[in-house]
Amino acid sequence: MSEITKTAAPTASRPILKTLTPWIGFLVLLLVLPNIFSSNAGLYTMNLMGIFVIFALSYNMLLGQGGMLSFGHAVYFGLGGFMSVHFMNYIEEGLFTFPMYLVPVFGGLIGLVFAIIIGSFSTRRAGTVFAMISLGVGELMASSSLIFVAFFGGEEGVSGDRTTGPELMGIDFGKDIHIYYLIAAWVFVTVALMYLFSRTPAGRMANAVRDNAERAEFVGYSQRKVRFVSFCMSGFFAGIAGGLFALNFEIVTEENLNALTSGVVLLMAYIGGVGFFIGPIIGAVVFTLLQSILSNYTDIWQLYVGVLFVLTVMYVPQGLTGIIMMHTTAWRLKRVGGLIVPYIRIGIPALAMMAGIAAFLEAIHHVRTASEDDVMMSLIGIEFDSHALVPWIIIFALAIIGGVVTKLQYPQLKDAWETANKLPASGEGVGS
Amino acid sequence: MTAAIELKGLYKSFGPTAIIRGVDLAIEKGERHAIIGPNGAGKSTLFHLISGRYSVSGGGVFLHGENISNLPPYEIYRKGLSRSFQVTNIFPNMSVFENVRCGLMWAKDYKYSFWHLVDRERELNEKTAQVIEEIGLTSRMKIPAGVLTYAEQRALEIGIAAAGGADVIMLDEPTAGMSHSETDQAIELIRKITVGKTLVMVEHDMGVVFDLADRISVLVYGEIIASDTPENIRNSKAVQEAYLGAEAED
């Protein structure tokens, strides 16, 4: 599914089964997941994950596929959400009869309509101009959401009730597991559609315009129209994600279309890896996990997400998917096994270092925020006095020794990496 | 019969500086036409004016009798004029195969379609493979274009330009920076892809020019000082003084 490793489709079309295997796997995964994580918290997290997967993928149609950096993608997500929640209320009031599970379609349509309007002028240029316009439009929408109370509901937002529509085979979507399967179905369909879009002429030219907008014009394509088509598609799918958000949470507020949400989707796509189709999926999953799990244990989880983002930008611009894809050569040569021990050898001290740094941050946070007499703090079940000297010495020792050992272990990993990736002399080398 | 390309009093200035100063030129259909001239004469600018990269300051560009001055590049391409670039201008992160396919999609009438799946379009992919075969990159078609060698990228550059079957093909220094053997291959390639088509090329390598061209125009300081057969150009006094003189002394 990646753009970098599998770009060409040779003339002989691949066997259908091979093409379908990942999708069947994806479907099975979606069906099996709620049986593994059947708790309410698990379902809650997975529902959010599904919504964010669609949202992040729609964002990557702009950033990764089309080379458009948007700071206002939440506009289409939020508007889709508001539109859907209004439709949920219309259905409840009996204005018309419509199945609740199709409500996200309205979200998608309003996302599409606004993408057509805004895209008609913002896709004129890529790069900084596009980014600035998206930022401006995002701020405009966020501030109007507090002004036009009738549609946006002011600060408390708009709420609805998803159980009031006509039932589907006796299911009224009152239970979390029902909404999970609803979201899963939407995720499967929209992910497939977005993937298929990337394989159409419009989708391929989006990549071409991203790579070299000028040359695209000299093979007959207006770069503006190519961007516009991607932009509209992206708005449509973001709107669907917003509609699912409305169905799932039964409330949509200003926060769903402001800059924070626009930032979150950028973070998800980038951490996952914008160069790969599955990148944003991984990014959305990781981000949601961090958000819902880490936030149970620490107040400063956003700091960790921020650090992860900065480290990604600095050291692995290809994202988490990029790290996985780095192993394809070794995988093909069947040498990944040789990397396990070196990874463990560097992984243990690296974990110790990260634990030390995290403990340091947590301890500082505790000293700064806890009340004067509350000196005891707890980290992963260990109670200690954050004002005493010994815990601090241990924390520093953990971070520094971990760091030094990590550095000492680096050469052996590098050697192992080179051995694992060394192409056979007669093999087909890339750089000849 | 109308000329494939006709320039009438073509004029281009950047601010107060005139680069192209009234060029009149007619290139007949099926002709292989080379434009030569010293550095800074405005050859590439002339190319950019014809292909729509630059706007025209005065005069007109006519393609098969139709005025195409100041049309956007994609409109000019759709009217049947395709070009390559002096500085390699490809889609670096896409595979060789995709690069060529992008050069074919408009010609095959896919436009901005989002209801066709490119991998399922048999004819499109077969034609793409055929073009890649012609430019000799079949064994390299799956790798990203950005990692090709320089000569391969130049071949791809020509392949993208020629893929769509435009009847006027413009090549801007197709052999620049190539070794002798690579140049010979490039000449063969150009000959092959321009059969029955109109070719306009800018070229510094006189061997290539005299080998390929039916007619040659000499551009000096934004003006065409001669436009004739290779034989007459070689013997022209004015041309030798203005341009070839320096090389003849070597």
Side-chain angles (χ1 to χ4, degrees):
Chain A
M1 284 201 219
S2 91
E3 293 308 316
I4 307 292
T5 52
K6 187 194 77 68
T7 41
T11 38
S13 46
R14 297 185 301 155
I16 289 282
L17 193 67
K18 210 179 164 190
T19 320
L20 287 183
T21 310
W23 295 100
I24 295 167
F26 184 38
L27 192 60
V28 170
L29 182 72
L30 287 173
L31 291 174
V32 164
L33 273 177
N35 297 314
I36 304 170
F37 306 99
S38 54
S39 66
N40 276 340
L43 285 177
Y44 172 90
T45 308
M46 287 191 295
N47 286 349
L48 194 59
M49 235 176 231
I51 293 164
F52 278 162
V53 161
I54 302 175
F55 188 30
L57 274 177
S58 79
Y59 182 77
N60 206 41
M61 292 172 96
L62 299 180
L63 181 59
Q65 313 274 351
M68 290 172 270
L69 174 61
S70 168
F71 291 119
H73 202 52
V75 166
Y76 313 97
F77 178 79
L79 285 172
F82 277 110
M83 200 67 209
S84 300
V85 84
H86 281 300
F87 268 98
M88 285 160 68
N89 289 331
Y90 296 154
I91 293 168
E92 184 178 357
E93 289 158 16
L95 278 178
F96 56 85
T97 315
F98 195 77
M100 215 38 111
Y101 53 90
L102 287 180
V103 158
V105 170
F106 291 113
L109 288 178
I110 191 103
L112 176 65
V113 167
F114 272 82
I116 290 173
I117 296 169
I118 294 162
S120 65
F121 58 87
S122 75
T123 54
R124 200 177 296 235
R125 300 233 177 278
T128 317
V129 178
F130 177 86
M132 290 303 113
I133 293 176
S134 73
L135 188 65
V137 170
E139 285 303 302
L140 184 79
M141 285 294 170
S143 48
S144 26
S145 69
L146 294 175
I147 298 166
F148 300 110
V149 180
F151 185 77
F152 295 104
E155 286 194 7
E156 66 263 40
V158 182
S159 46
D161 184 347
R162 66 173 180 249
T163 60
T164 54
E167 295 182 356
L168 170 72
M169 296 180 289
I171 296 169
D172 66 354
F173 300 108
K175 288 187 184 160
D176 278 349
I177 186 72
H178 295 159
I179 195 78
Y180 170 82
Y181 281 115
L182 176 63
I183 290 175
W186 274 102
V187 166
F188 185 77
V189 172
T190 51
V191 168
L193 286 177
M194 282 188 267
Y195 177 71
L196 291 177
F197 174 77
S198 77
R199 306 305 308 167
T200 64
R204 298 328 295 147
M205 285 316 294
N207 278 16
V209 166
R210 171 202 67 195
D211 267 18
N212 190 341
E214 182 178 50
R215 185 58 189 254
E217 298 232 310
F218 287 94
V219 294
Y221 284 86
S222 152
Q223 48 171 308
R224 182 178 170 184
K225 280 202 189 122
V226 169
R227 278 197 289 265
F228 180 69
V229 172
S230 292
F231 193 83
C232 292
M233 290 290 165
S234 172
F236 176 70
F237 287 110
I240 288 180
L244 284 171
F245 186 94
L247 273 184
N248 186 40
F249 292 96
E250 301 181 302
I251 183 166
V252 183
T253 63
E254 182 265 343
E255 194 185 299
N256 298 122
L257 49 66
N258 68 12
L260 184 69
T261 309
S262 294
V264 162
V265 74
L266 167 64
L267 230 66
M268 287 190 291
Y270 211 97
I271 290 175
V274 294
F276 306 91
F277 181 79
I278 58 164
I281 301 181
I282 292 176
V285 168
V286 169
F287 179 86
T288 319
L289 279 178
L290 286 178
Q291 186 185 31
S292 41
I293 295 175
L294 221 49
S295 62
N296 287 335
Y297 296 100
T298 167
D299 296 334
I300 53 172
W301 67 274
Q302 283 168 315
L303 176 68
Y304 297 121
V305 176
V307 170
L308 178 64
F309 178 66
V310 172
L311 290 178
T312 311
V313 173
M314 284 173 67
Y315 297 109
V316 257
Q318 292 285 338
L320 297 177
T321 319
I323 297 180
I324 299 169
M325 291 301 174
M326 269 163 61
H327 294 82
T328 41
T329 316
W331 180 262
R332 280 204 197 106
L333 299 170
K334 298 192 170 51
R335 295 215 197 102
V336 175
L339 287 170
I340 294 174
V341 174
Y343 272 145
I344 293 174
R345 280 175 64 183
I346 200 167
I348 291 170
L351 275 178
M353 175 182 70
M354 285 189 278
I357 294 170
F360 174 71
L361 292 170
E362 294 292 336
I364 287 187
H365 179 66
H366 186 263
V367 170
R368 298 271 309 165
T369 53
S371 57
E372 285 280 315
D373 45 324
D374 177 21
V375 292
M376 293 307 284
M377 67 176 287
S378 151
L379 274 181
I380 46 168
I382 305 165
E383 294 256 340
F384 60 91
D385 179 355
S386 66
H387 288 63
L389 188 62
V390 177
W392 283 93
I393 292 174
I394 295 173
I395 287 170
F396 275 111
L398 205 56
I400 292 167
I401 296 174
V404 171
V405 177
T406 307
K407 200 161 182 204
L408 289 176
Q409 288 297 320
Y410 182 70
Q412 61 92 19
L413 177 65
K414 204 176 162 204
D415 286 346
W417 179 259
E418 274 161 16
T419 323
N421 283 287
K422 196 187 274 170
L423 292 166
S426 57
E428 38 173 25
V430 172
S432 60
Chain B
M1 192 174 114
T2 48
I5 291 182
E6 192 169 7
L7 310 179
K8 287 181 186 163
L10 191 62
Y11 185 86
K12 175 68 183 176
S13 60
F14 292 98
T17 322
I19 304 294
I20 300 294
R21 304 185 297 171
V23 167
D24 291 290
L25 180 65
I27 297 170
E28 295 304 326
K29 223 174 157 209
E31 184 176 312
R32 290 202 182 100
H33 197 103
I35 296 169
I36 62 172
N39 284 328
K43 302 184 296 292
S44 284
T45 306
L46 192 65
F47 254 51
H48 295 334
L49 289 173
I50 297 172
S51 62
R53 195 186 202 186
Y54 289 168
S55 64
V56 170
S57 309
V61 182
F62 297 82
L63 180 68
H64 301 305
E66 187 183 354
N67 191 346
I68 57 163
S69 328
N70 292 329
L71 285 182
Y74 51 91
E75 294 279 359
I76 294 175
Y77 175 88
R78 292 172 198 174
K79 291 182 189 301
L81 185 149
S82 180
R83 67 164 294 184
S84 76
F85 289 81
Q86 182 185 358
V87 177
T88 305
N89 206 345
I90 53 178
F91 306 114
N93 294 318
M94 301 173 83
S95 69
V96 172
F97 187 85
E98 295 234 51
N99 267 268
V100 173
R101 193 164 61 185
C102 285
L104 259 169
M105 279 195 301
W106 191 275
K108 291 278 173 198
D109 219 24
Y110 286 99
K111 303 203 167 124
Y112 302 97
S113 157
F114 46 86
W115 49 89
H116 291 97
L117 289 173
V118 282
D119 299 338
R120 301 241 173 268
E121 299 299 316
R122 198 135 163 219
E123 201 207 326
L124 176 69
N125 292 321
E126 277 169 4
K127 178 78 176 122
T128 306
Q130 190 193 325
V131 173
I132 291 176
E133 171 112 48
E134 276 177 20
I135 58 175
L137 292 179
T138 304
S139 63
R140 313 279 275 163
M141 73 181 183
K142 284 186 193 172
I143 67 172
V147 304
L148 291 178
T149 66
Y150 178 76
E152 286 171 335
Q153 289 190 352
R154 298 301 303 171
L156 179 60
E157 174 82 41
I158 295 171
I160 297 172
D167 45 40
V168 179
I169 293 175
M170 300 179 66
L171 304 177
D172 195 351
E173 298 203 27
T175 68
M178 284 190 179
S179 70
H180 276 299
S181 64
E182 287 166 348
T183 302
D184 290 341
Q185 282 178 6
I187 293 175
E188 276 322 297
L189 174 62
I190 294 167
R191 218 188 281 283
K192 202 159 62 182
I193 60 161
T194 55
V195 171
K197 294 180 178 175
T198 311
L199 169 72
V200 189
M201 61 191 280
V202 164
E203 184 55 66
H204 268 299
D205 186 328
M206 287 307 132
V208 177
V209 170
F210 287 110
D211 199 359
L212 270 176
D214 301 323
R215 272 159 63 84
I216 296 174
S217 291
V218 185
L219 189 71
V220 179
Y221 295 115
E223 283 172 296
I224 300 253
I225 59 164
S227 186
D228 217 327
T229 60
E231 202 52 38
N232 291 344
I233 290 289
R234 206 196 299 261
N235 299 328
S236 156
K237 265 247 162 64
V239 173
Q240 277 174 6
E241 272 170 25
Y243 180 50
L244 293 176
E247 284 184 10
E249 286 160 21
D250 286 344

